[in-house]
Amino acid sequence: MHDRRRLVGGMFLLTAAGLLLLLPPVVYIFNRDSTVFGIPQIVFYLFGVWLALIGGTAALTARLEPDRAEDEG
């Protein structure tokens, strides 16, 4: 049970970090005329954050055990 609470807390922190990283003032920091591998820096940042959030979610949910529903009957 304790381990499940830590994973749920990690999911909350991942969500909060994603929200903060995608706020316009933070995103505007990367709105420059430079490119990374031929991709504008802001697009590279947005897709990088998006992929990192997906990877973090996949890593956390892989460790999460499914809920055990009690059979009523």
Side-chain angles (χ1 to χ4, degrees):
M1 182 70 148
H2 180 68
D3 200 31
R4 182 175 178 80
R5 286 184 185 167
R6 289 185 64 186
L7 287 173
V8 171
M11 288 179 191
F12 175 75
L13 288 176
L14 184 68
T15 303
L19 175 68
L20 291 175
L21 289 172
L22 293 175
L23 283 174
V26 177
V27 173
Y28 289 150
I29 293 171
F30 297 94
N31 192 11
R32 310 240 182 222
D33 289 334
S34 62
T35 60
V36 178
F37 303 118
I39 301 169
Q41 189 177 10
I42 191 169
V43 175
F44 192 80
Y45 172 76
L46 289 173
F47 277 98
V49 169
W50 181 58
L51 286 173
L53 290 172
I54 290 172
T57 302
L60 286 172
T61 55
R63 297 183 58 201
L64 190 63
E65 294 180 13
D67 285 335
R68 300 203 176 158
E70 295 181 275
D71 292 329
E72 293 182 21

